[in-house]
Amino acid sequence: MRKILLVIDMQNDFIDAALGSREAEAIVDAVKEKIRSYPAENVIATMDTHGENYMDTQEGRNLPVMHCIRGTHGWQLQTDVAELLRHAKIYEKPSFGSMKLAEELKKLSEKEEIELELIGLCTDICVVSNALLLKAAMPEVKISVDAACCAGVTVEKHRAALETMRSCQIHIVND
């Protein structure tokens, strides 16, 4: 069984910039330890990626905070995390979940037995979106989320997202 780690959106804007929080800053060391615990070839990452027209998008109208604009400091992965992900495949995604990531992992799951673990930011937006996309694409693949390596927009939303995922048969660890 191949166990794959998915590192979701560990970008500066979600840690200590435009949409950052103390909770996001607090998980960085745990995220680095988790990445180190996997073989490099079994680590995949995502990056929230927007253009200058972000405010004209549906997301921008509903979350009117410029963030993760391609090429900016806020868009970049946190420095230490980026170093650990230097050999990882990285999926840039224009919205919360990555359809391409789900499609490629589904193809992989048809060739070999896999298990997926998600960590990163934000629990209640991109982590839950990707976890549910993956579960829909691969209902028989074990998917887990390490709660100690995730942070939500608020503590309450983090907890609610964990409960939503738990209800959808996604395993929550370190809660």
Side-chain angles (χ1 to χ4, degrees):
M1 161 110 45
R2 182 173 172 196
K3 192 169 180 184
I4 299 170
L5 180 66
L6 305 174
V7 182
I8 308 298
D9 299 358
M10 286 298 296
Q11 295 160 267
N12 293 319
D13 270 344
F14 294 128
I15 297 170
D16 59 7
L19 294 169
S21 68
R22 287 188 316 270
E23 292 81 14
E25 290 179 44
I27 69 163
V28 173
D29 286 339
V31 166
K32 292 186 310 189
E33 278 305 306
K34 179 69 75 166
I35 294 168
R36 287 185 193 106
S37 75
Y38 276 78
E41 65 273 11
N42 290 346
V43 178
I44 298 171
T46 66
M47 291 179 70
D48 199 43
T49 303
H50 302 295
E52 293 294 334
N53 69 332
Y54 172 76
M55 297 302 262
D56 297 326
T57 67
Q58 182 172 324
E59 181 181 333
R61 289 188 294 274
N62 287 288
L63 178 61
V65 178
M66 292 288 279
H67 68 281
C68 296
I69 306 302
R70 182 190 307 281
T72 66
H73 173 75
W75 172 73
Q76 295 172 357
L77 294 165
Q78 191 272 353
T79 304
D80 295 335
V81 172
E83 178 62 23
L84 293 170
L85 296 175
R86 68 186 177 278
H87 300 296
K89 181 163 187 175
I90 298 175
Y91 291 81
E92 292 181 14
K93 54 186 189 51
S95 188
F96 310 128
S98 173
M99 295 295 291
K100 185 174 182 181
L101 173 64
E103 291 164 2
E104 290 189 13
L105 286 172
K106 181 175 174 37
K107 287 178 189 170
L108 180 63
S109 75
E110 292 166 354
K111 295 177 186 168
E112 64 181 290
E113 193 174 351
I114 63 170
E115 183 176 316
L116 305 173
E117 182 174 22
L118 286 80
I119 60 173
L121 301 167
C122 295
T123 318
D124 51 312
I125 302 174
C126 295
V127 174
V128 69
S129 295
N130 282 287
L132 293 174
L133 271 173
L134 294 164
K135 192 63 171 173
M138 300 168 286
E140 295 303 317
V141 169
K142 181 180 179 186
I143 299 173
S144 62
V145 171
D146 186 337
C149 293
C150 294
V153 173
T154 65
V155 172
E156 297 78 19
K157 289 183 177 188
H158 169 76
R159 307 250 13 109
L162 293 175
E163 286 308 313
T164 295
M165 290 184 280
R166 190 177 278 121
S167 294
C168 294
Q169 301 176 359
I170 293 164
H171 302 271
I172 307 302
V173 299
N174 296 322
D175 186 17

